[in-house]
Amino acid sequence: MSGLGLVSLVGAGPGDPDHLTQKAVRCLRDADVVLHDALVSAEVCALAASALRINVGKRAGRGQTPQLEIERLMIEAAQQGLRVVRLKGGDPFVFGRGGEEALALQRAGIPFEIVPGITTAIAAPGLAGIPVTHRGVSSGFVVLTGSDLESVDRVLASIAPGSLTVVVLMGIGARAKVADRLVSRGWDVSTPAAIVLGAATPEMWTWRGRLADLATSLLPESSAAGTIVVGGVAGLPIAVPAFVEEVAG
């Protein structure tokens, strides 16, 4: 283990540097190399002022850095004794492949640590005034990825319609298919639904409506990440922050 560096798997939260943990900030400021996702904001990356910063992000329909290449870069940098930050949007262990990377580091004998971040699954709805749980409305929530519709089917088959809040990450392009699956599983078409784009950024934008309208909701042109919320909590009359544009369904 002598001479090896340390890899920190760091959650960048929803985007605003103010939502980083203190430990995440320390890791970035001390880093020699930062391998960051495409959705991590420039403001967050700028905290690693003295580090070599490499974009290894994966974006739907665009060029991607293969997962094995990301793992190779982490391992080789740590083998040179460098302090490496693998910076991921949200939390490393929520659809961030943090588990895969931790296992790869472990197999290679590389010291590593986990620095949790605020997952967008909670932060995006919360910043739009939507709690994922609310007494008398929803006692729990399930987080799905729209990039794996087979998993969506399996999860929806295991829960009663309307029993939980459904949060979908990476699913804006698949929202029509997600909506169809919910309705086919018995969810009422009048169930409140919401879409939050660009959470924790000045461009944050929210749509609220019904499940029936989710598929045809008109969204602004944006490259920002989006989060879908379906359930009674999306209909709670909680005031939305002033910088968010509210578009009724």
Side-chain angles (χ1 to χ4, degrees):
M1 303 291 286
S2 175
L4 292 177
L6 173 70
V7 177
S8 301
L9 302 177
V10 177
D16 188 334
D18 285 346
H19 293 133
L20 288 169
T21 65
Q22 293 183 26
K23 184 165 186 177
V25 173
R26 289 198 299 271
C27 288
L28 287 168
R29 288 176 174 166
D30 293 341
D32 298 308
V33 178
V34 175
L35 305 173
H36 64 88
D37 282 350
L39 290 174
V40 175
S41 70
E43 292 78 11
V44 170
C45 289
L47 294 173
S50 60
L52 171 64
R53 288 171 275 178
I54 304 172
N55 184 343
V56 294
K58 299 179 177 68
R59 296 297 302 272
R62 305 182 190 181
Q64 300 186 358
T65 304
Q67 185 62 32
L68 289 177
E69 175 66 8
I70 295 172
E71 293 167 8
R72 183 189 68 79
L73 290 170
M74 287 193 301
I75 291 168
E76 290 187 355
Q79 287 173 335
Q80 297 172 31
L82 301 177
R83 293 167 295 185
V84 182
V85 168
R86 174 67 177 104
L87 188 61
K88 298 171 172 291
D91 180 89
F93 282 0
V94 181
F95 298 126
R97 298 197 176 185
E100 295 176 37
E101 293 173 3
L103 288 169
L105 293 167
Q106 185 170 282
R107 287 192 296 268
I110 301 297
F112 67 92
E113 63 179 349
I114 311 299
V115 182
I118 302 174
T119 174
T120 306
I122 296 173
L127 290 168
I130 302 170
V132 292
T133 65
H134 189 82
R135 186 170 59 174
V137 179
S138 177
S139 60
F141 63 99
V142 60
V143 183
L144 307 173
T145 170
S147 62
D148 185 353
L149 293 175
E150 289 185 3
S151 292
V152 170
D153 287 334
R154 289 194 296 270
V155 173
L156 293 180
S158 69
I159 62 175
S163 61
L164 299 174
T165 303
V166 173
V167 180
V168 183
L169 304 180
M170 298 175 284
I172 298 301
R175 65 187 185 278
K177 294 178 180 178
V178 171
D180 286 344
R181 281 162 166 77
L182 285 163
V183 173
S184 69
R185 289 289 178 184
W187 287 66
D188 194 311
V189 294
S190 64
T191 302
I195 296 173
V196 184
L197 297 179
T201 72
E203 292 75 38
M204 183 172 169
W205 182 94
T206 302
W207 171 89
R208 291 186 192 241
R210 306 178 307 151
L211 177 57
D213 305 316
L214 183 63
T216 56
S217 53
L218 297 178
L219 308 183
E221 290 187 10
S222 174
S223 61
T227 302
I228 298 170
V229 186
V230 180
V233 293
L236 292 171
I238 296 175
V240 177
F243 64 88
V244 178
E245 179 184 356
E246 177 82 353
V247 178

